[in-house]
Amino acid sequence: MREAVEQLLLPAECLLCRALLSFRDSARVVCDVCRHRWRPVRPPWCARCGQPEPSFGRCRLCAEWPAAFGLARSAVWLDGGARDAVHALKYGGLSRIASDLAAAMVGLHVPAVDSALLVPVPLARARVRERGYNQSERLARALGRRWRRPVVDLLVRTRDTVPQTALTPEARLANVAGAFEMRNAKCGMRNEGQPGNSAFRIPHSALERPLVLVDDVFTTGATLAEAARALDRAGARAVSAVTFGRAVVPDFT
Ligand SMILES: [Zn+2]
Ligand SMILES: [Zn+2]
C-alpha cells in the first residue's frame, strides 16, 4: 500500500540523476545508467569474507568468525550513487529501491543457494518503528523473489547498538556481542514476519538448510558475524551472507 502511494506521488525519474525513466522502467527507482556506475566488488579477495586484497597472513576481518559462517559476498562498493541508494533505502523511506539493490545482488555466488533460506539481519524494534520497515528484510524479500528462495525471520535483535562508524574491527565485535538471538527459540520459533499468517512456525529443520544472511552493507562484517554466531549457537549447519554494498574499510593499523 505504502509502495503504491509512493509510486503515485513520485514522478518516474531516477532518484540519483533525475533522468526520466522510460515507461518500461517506471517501477524502478534508479536508472540503468546509474546502476551501471555502481562498482562491482571483484576478486582477488579473501575466499571467506570476500574482502579484496587481504593483507598477508591471516585475514583480520574474518579470523574470529564462528565456524558455521563460511562466506560473505557483497555486490558493489559503497561509494557515489551506491551510497545514496542505500541512504534512500535506510533513511529516505524509499523501500521500493530494495528491488534495484537486489537486482545488483542476483549474481552473487553462495554455496547451495538452491536449497537455502534467506535470513534478514534484524533491526532493533525502536528503529523499525522509526523507519516503518527493516531495510534488510525488504532487501531479502526482493532478492528472494529473484532467487526464488523463501525468506524466514529467524533472528531478533535483543538490544540496540551504538553506531559502528569510527570503531575498530575489534571494538565493533564487542559492540554487537550478544545483540541477536533466535526468534522465540523457547516456544517453537513462531515467525511473525509472515504477513497474514502469524501462527506460521519455522520448522526446526530450517537450521539444517543452508542459511544466507542478508544485509544492506558490509563494513567490517562484525554485525553479520554476530548474527551468524546466534544461528551457529542454535545449531545452524552452514551460514553465508550477502550484502548490497561493501564499505571501504578505514586503515586501522
Ligand atoms: Zn540515473
Ligand atoms: Zn577474510
Side-chain angles (χ1 to χ4, degrees):
M1 179 59 197
R2 183 194 173 114
E3 284 167 29
V5 171
E6 263 177 21
Q7 217 164 340
L8 280 176
L9 295 179
L10 291 170
E13 60 178 32
C14 170
L15 172 83
L16 301 177
C17 72
R18 301 290 167 206
L20 285 178
L21 295 168
S22 64
F23 182 72
R24 183 178 57 93
D25 289 340
S26 61
R28 288 196 172 280
V29 179
V30 179
C31 76
D32 276 349
V33 176
C34 287
R35 280 184 296 121
H36 284 125
R37 281 198 192 119
W38 294 343
R39 288 193 301 129
V41 180
R42 293 190 200 283
W45 51 34
C46 168
R48 193 177 189 198
C49 66
Q51 187 69 15
E53 300 169 43
S55 49
F56 291 100
R58 224 157 68 122
C59 173
R60 187 174 170 192
L61 281 192
C62 60
E64 307 297 329
W65 283 8
F69 190 15
L71 169 152
R73 294 291 182 263
S74 309
V76 303
W77 287 107
L78 194 70
D79 53 16
R83 179 183 294 276
D84 295 339
V86 168
H87 204 269
L89 173 68
K90 256 172 135 152
Y91 308 109
L94 200 59
S95 66
R96 272 193 309 126
I97 203 173
S99 170
D100 290 21
L101 305 195
M105 299 164 72
V106 164
L108 293 174
H109 290 289
V110 291
V113 72
D114 291 344
S115 55
L117 305 174
L118 306 190
V119 183
V121 171
L123 262 192
R125 224 178 283 167
R127 298 283 180 86
V128 177
R129 269 200 301 273
E130 208 173 274
R131 206 165 282 178
Y133 56 88
N134 170 8
Q135 75 276 1
S136 302
E137 193 255 351
R138 293 303 167 99
L139 206 49
R141 296 206 181 276
L143 186 60
R145 280 193 290 275
R146 287 168 187 272
W147 276 355
R148 298 178 188 277
R149 300 311 313 154
V151 176
V152 285
D153 282 322
L154 286 180
L155 293 173
V156 287
R157 197 146 187 150
T158 52
R159 60 183 178 81
D160 209 352
T161 49
V162 302
Q164 297 271 67
T165 335
L167 296 179
T168 63
E170 291 78 7
R172 281 169 183 252
L173 279 175
N175 184 35
V176 294
F180 303 102
E181 63 181 35
M182 288 290 287
R183 179 180 296 279
N184 288 354
K186 290 187 194 105
C187 39
M189 292 186 279
R190 209 181 66 185
N191 185 358
E192 291 155 17
Q194 293 285 323
N197 184 7
S198 60
F200 179 81
R201 277 172 187 276
I202 298 163
H204 197 75
S205 62
L207 293 169
E208 281 159 27
R209 306 270 288 272
L211 302 176
V212 182
L213 288 162
V214 181
D215 206 358
D216 51 352
V217 174
F218 179 112
T219 303
T220 63
T223 304
L224 288 169
E226 195 53 37
R229 193 162 287 118
L231 296 172
D232 182 72
R233 273 196 306 265
R237 299 266 173 90
V239 182
S240 50
V242 291
T243 71
F244 167 72
R246 180 151 310 218
V248 181
V249 183
D251 189 0
F252 291 109
T253 51

